[in-house]
Amino acid sequence: MMSRGATRVIRSVVGPPRCFSTAAVRTIGTDSATAKISNGTAGFFPLNPGKASERAAVTWIRFPVMGARNASTVALDAKEQKEEEKVGTGSAGGVAGGTGGNDEKAIVSYWGISPGKVTKEDGTEWRWSCFRPWETYKANVEIDLKKHHVPVTFLDKVAFWTVKSLRYPTDLFFQRRYGCRAMMLETVAAVPGMVGGMLLHCKSIRRFEHSGGWIKALLEEAENERMHLMTFMEVAKPRWYERALVFAVQGVFFNAYFLGYLVSPKFAHRVTGYLEEEAIHSYTEFLKELDAGRIENVPAPAIAVDYWQLPPEATLRDVVVIVRADEAHHRDVNHFASDIHYQGHELKEAPAPLGYH
């Protein structure tokens, strides 16, 4: 039998019995709800078995030190309970369904980040999440399309004939399917700007120096080319083997261009300049097919109307004209970047043509 002295010692360590008090809460539903708070739990217990709507919320709070466990009551009003039922409890980043029996799901995040509602100038809701109204622009279609850099040095000639050699298998594969040809062209054209911007970014933080705006300029070029691709995806639906070809071409071209830029940025920019010249030629042929009626001049995709601020009645021909002008601007930027290197300077020494479309 345990002595009285031992009993007192045990009680002094374990503490007094757990106690709690109750507060009556009126709830709307009859389902039980639970909640978790700091180092404790909260639950509902019916005060009156005959009235399921009358409950008491009990919260246990555990202290980090050994001693008495205290209990307090929490009274939740109807509004808070509705919010709990709507959002639900769970880990951060979970997905909770809405009320009303619909299947729509809202993303619930612990971090409190929610997408802002964006509207157009006329007050209507902005439909695109991949770009915003302040990123749209009116293209300058008056740019000279006939400019050409005549290859003089050995590296220029290598760059020129490398691009020319890539044109023949493209002509053979796509022939006059210019919609699919444009789609494939943009998957390649979007790579140089991203590679150049990435390497300049790494160089800038490695050397603790500014880039002269060239990081942003090259990334703008990559994003612009990607928007070309998103536009032509609405016009030409790629077949499975064309998608497979994109995987292969992108894998080879990305790594080849990455190594080429590491070895000689002036060579890499010259290659991109000649690629843009070929793109201008391809879109000119595309326009000839449209004007001849061999390709239907369908209405412009909605994404193109918003991105280039086109009128609602714009057609595919208007889109091709604008994309060709964009390629001409990219031609100028990359030939200019190559010339900077040829003259013995670095890109940071010449202000980048930001927003040059």
Side-chain angles (χ1 to χ4, degrees):
M1 180 179 293
M2 185 178 297
S3 65
R4 293 182 178 179
T7 304
R8 292 193 189 97
V9 172
I10 293 175
R11 286 182 177 178
S12 65
V13 173
V14 176
R18 304 175 186 176
C19 301
F20 65 89
S21 62
T22 60
V25 200
R26 298 293 176 179
T27 59
I28 297 177
T30 58
D31 296 334
S32 62
T34 60
K36 294 184 179 180
I37 62 174
S38 174
N39 293 328
T41 57
F44 291 104
F45 298 88
L47 291 178
N48 190 344
K51 295 182 180 180
S53 62
E54 183 176 353
R55 301 180 179 182
V58 184
T59 304
W60 296 97
I61 303 178
R62 298 190 180 188
F63 291 92
V65 297
M66 294 185 62
R69 297 181 181 179
N70 300 328
S72 64
T73 59
V74 177
L76 300 176
D77 57 14
K79 181 179 180 181
E80 291 175 340
Q81 291 189 22
K82 286 181 180 180
E83 292 177 353
E84 273 193 352
E85 292 175 1
K86 182 177 180 181
V87 177
T89 59
S91 61
V95 178
T99 58
N102 55 12
D103 295 333
E104 295 182 1
K105 293 184 178 181
I107 298 176
V108 180
S109 174
Y110 167 79
W111 308 107
I113 300 175
S114 59
K117 186 176 180 181
V118 181
T119 58
K120 298 182 180 179
E121 293 181 355
D122 56 4
T124 58
E125 186 176 357
W126 184 256
R127 71 177 81 180
W128 313 106
S129 59
C130 55
F131 66 99
R132 298 302 188 184
W134 52 86
E135 297 173 336
T136 65
Y137 65 97
K138 288 184 177 293
N140 174 23
V141 296
E142 302 298 327
I143 188 171
D144 187 358
L145 302 172
K146 297 181 179 180
K147 280 185 179 179
H148 168 65
H149 181 274
V150 179
V152 178
T153 66
F154 173 75
L155 279 181
D156 282 357
K157 292 178 180 179
V158 172
F160 178 79
W161 288 110
T162 298
V163 174
K164 282 294 183 182
S165 65
L166 295 175
R167 176 179 169 180
Y168 297 113
T170 305
D171 291 342
L172 182 63
F173 184 83
F174 291 103
Q175 297 181 0
R176 292 192 174 276
R177 294 167 46 235
Y178 285 100
C180 294
R181 184 191 184 105
M183 179 200 64
M184 174 60 71
L185 178 64
E186 299 302 340
T187 62
V188 173
V191 170
M194 180 58 65
V195 172
M198 176 186 66
L199 291 177
L200 285 180
H201 171 79
C202 293
K203 181 180 179 180
S204 175
I205 59 179
R206 185 172 65 247
R207 295 188 176 183
F208 306 96
E209 63 185 18
H210 292 284
S211 69
W214 279 95
I215 296 174
K216 187 174 182 180
L218 293 177
L219 293 181
E220 280 183 353
E221 176 187 316
E223 174 64 12
N224 184 248
E225 298 285 8
R226 192 185 67 84
M227 289 305 300
H228 293 175
L229 175 62
M230 296 298 103
T231 298
F232 285 112
M233 284 288 294
E234 302 295 324
V235 177
K237 303 299 181 182
R239 300 181 176 92
W240 68 268
Y241 57 86
E242 291 171 339
R243 291 179 178 269
L245 183 62
V246 169
F247 270 89
V249 171
Q250 187 182 79
V252 173
F253 183 73
F254 179 92
N255 289 283
Y257 193 84
F258 180 85
L259 293 175
Y261 203 100
L262 286 176
V263 174
S264 176
K266 61 184 175 184
F267 170 75
H269 282 293
R270 192 69 80 199
V271 167
T272 307
Y274 286 131
L275 278 174
E276 303 297 352
E277 291 184 15
E278 289 299 324
I280 295 171
H281 172 77
S282 295
Y283 286 118
T284 300
E285 295 297 316
F286 196 166
L287 288 173
K288 290 180 181 178
E289 296 293 308
L290 284 168
D291 293 338
R294 288 187 286 270
I295 297 178
E296 184 181 1
N297 190 21
V298 298
I303 190 172
V305 172
D306 287 339
Y307 184 66
W308 284 291
Q309 301 178 13
L310 295 173
E313 65 275 7
T315 63
L316 177 59
R317 190 185 191 284
D318 300 321
V319 174
V320 175
V321 169
I322 289 175
V323 171
R324 183 178 63 173
D326 284 348
E327 305 295 0
H329 287 90
H330 299 160
R331 171 204 63 193
D332 295 349
V333 170
N334 281 277
H335 280 314
F336 173 56
S338 184
D339 289 344
I340 293 173
H341 284 290
Y342 267 106
Q343 296 172 20
H345 301 286
E346 293 189 11
L347 292 182
K348 66 177 182 178
E349 299 177 31
L354 294 173
Y356 180 68
H357 290 292

